[in-house]
Amino acid sequence: MSSQHTNDISGVPAVGADSPFRQEHVLRDEAPQFVLPLVVRIEKAEPPARTDALETAARAVLVLLTDERAHGEGEWAQAVRDWQDARIRKVVRRARGAEWRKAETLPGVTVQGDGAQVRVFPPVPLDGWPKELAKLQVSGTDLDDPEPVSATAEPGLPVLWLNPGLDMSAGKAMAQAGHAAQLAWWELTGAERAAWQDSGFRLAVRTAPRARWAELSGSGLPVVRDAGFTEIAPGSATVVADHPALRARL
C-alpha cells in the first residue's frame, strides 16, 4: 500500500485504494502468487496459549501492513503490492530454539502478545521461500488455552469471530484471523485506521456462539472465505471481522 493511504485521515473508506478486490483486479487469480509468511514461536516447555497466538498473528499482519518499509518506496512495498494484487495467502509455520533465532535474523517484524511471539515477514513468491523458513514445519501448531477464555470481549474492541462449525488447527486459524484483520483494515477510513494503529491494534479473537453465526456472517461485516487449499472446503466462511467502526455503518 502507499504511504498516501496509510496516513490519510479523511472520512473516506480506504478500501478503494489498496484492496485487491478493486474492479481492475478481478483477475487476481491470474497474477503471480505470493504468500505472507508468519512464524509462531512454540517452545516445548512453554507453548503459547491458542487465543493469544491467534490474536498476535492478526496483529502481526496489521503491523506488517503499516510498516514504513511496506508502502511508498519502502524495500518491501513492491512485494506487498504484488501480494495484495493476487490472493492474500498466508502460511503459518512454527519454530523453536535455534530455528527461531535463525528466523529472527531475516527481515521482518516480531510481534509480542501476552505470551505468544509471532514474526511476520514480507511476502515471498509461492516457490521462493527463504531456506531458513522453508524448512520449518507447518504441522504441529495445535495449541490449547490453559485457562477458559471469556466468550465475550471488552466493549468497543474489534472482534474476529471464528466459525463455530469448523475445526481448524491453530496455524490455520492464525492465518484466517490475519485475513480477517486485513479485510477490516481495507474497509476503514484513514482516521479509523490511525485510531486502531494508535491502540497497538488491540483486538480479540473469539469463537462465535452457534446461535449468532448466521447473523454475524450475513450482517455485511467482512467475511473471510477460504480458498480451500488446506483443511477445509473451498468457500467456507471462516472468520467475521467485527470492527466497531464497520458495525456502525451497517
Side-chain angles (χ1 to χ4, degrees):
M1 74 182 60
S2 69
S3 56
Q4 172 186 352
H5 298 111
T6 299
N7 299 320
D8 178 20
I9 59 171
S10 72
V12 179
V15 64
D18 55 7
S19 169
F21 303 109
R22 291 172 288 170
Q23 183 64 32
E24 63 264 36
H25 289 297
V26 294
L27 298 179
R28 64 188 183 280
D29 286 327
E30 298 181 9
Q33 298 295 306
F34 286 72
V35 61
L36 186 77
L38 297 106
V39 175
V40 56
R41 184 178 187 180
I42 303 181
E43 300 290 348
K44 287 184 178 181
E46 295 183 283
R50 179 185 174 96
T51 298
D52 186 19
L54 267 60
E55 292 174 350
T56 305
R59 289 174 48 233
V61 171
L62 297 169
V63 168
L64 183 283
L65 290 175
T66 54
D67 192 287
E68 62 182 9
R69 292 166 288 185
H71 52 84
E73 300 301 318
E75 61 193 275
W76 301 345
Q78 188 59 55
V80 170
R81 285 191 291 268
D82 290 342
W83 169 60
Q84 292 192 125
D85 282 348
R87 286 194 173 271
I88 55 166
R89 298 187 184 191
K90 300 177 182 68
V91 172
V92 177
R93 297 178 184 261
R94 60 181 173 87
R96 65 169 62 97
E99 294 174 333
W100 175 259
R101 291 190 291 274
K102 288 181 181 178
E104 285 194 302
T105 66
L106 299 179
V109 183
T110 297
V111 177
Q112 179 74 50
D114 289 338
Q117 286 182 290
V118 174
R119 189 164 179 83
V120 61
F121 304 86
V124 297
L126 282 178
D127 58 355
W129 284 70
K131 64 180 185 301
E132 294 89 348
L133 302 183
K135 65 183 181 181
L136 298 179
Q137 296 296 310
V138 176
S139 61
T141 54
D142 293 323
L143 302 172
D144 297 311
D145 283 310
E147 301 293 335
V149 176
S150 172
T152 59
E154 178 184 327
L157 202 64
V159 182
L160 309 179
W161 294 105
L162 302 174
N163 185 338
L166 295 178
D167 184 17
M168 295 185 284
S169 68
K172 179 71 171 181
M174 289 170 69
Q176 298 299 301
H179 292 336
Q182 189 167 359
L183 293 184
W185 179 256
W186 280 334
E187 296 285 352
L188 296 174
T189 66
E192 291 161 352
R193 288 181 173 188
W196 201 9
Q197 186 174 4
D198 288 346
S199 79
F201 295 119
R202 296 185 66 226
L203 55 83
V205 176
R206 296 291 186 270
T207 298
R210 290 184 179 275
R212 284 197 65 203
W213 178 250
E215 177 261 319
L216 284 166
S217 58
S219 65
L221 293 167
V223 180
V224 177
R225 295 194 178 275
D226 193 63
F229 295 120
T230 60
E231 295 193 24
I232 56 179
S236 297
T238 58
V239 191
V240 172
D242 191 355
H243 192 290
L246 302 182
R247 179 168 286 277
R249 295 203 283 270
L250 294 179

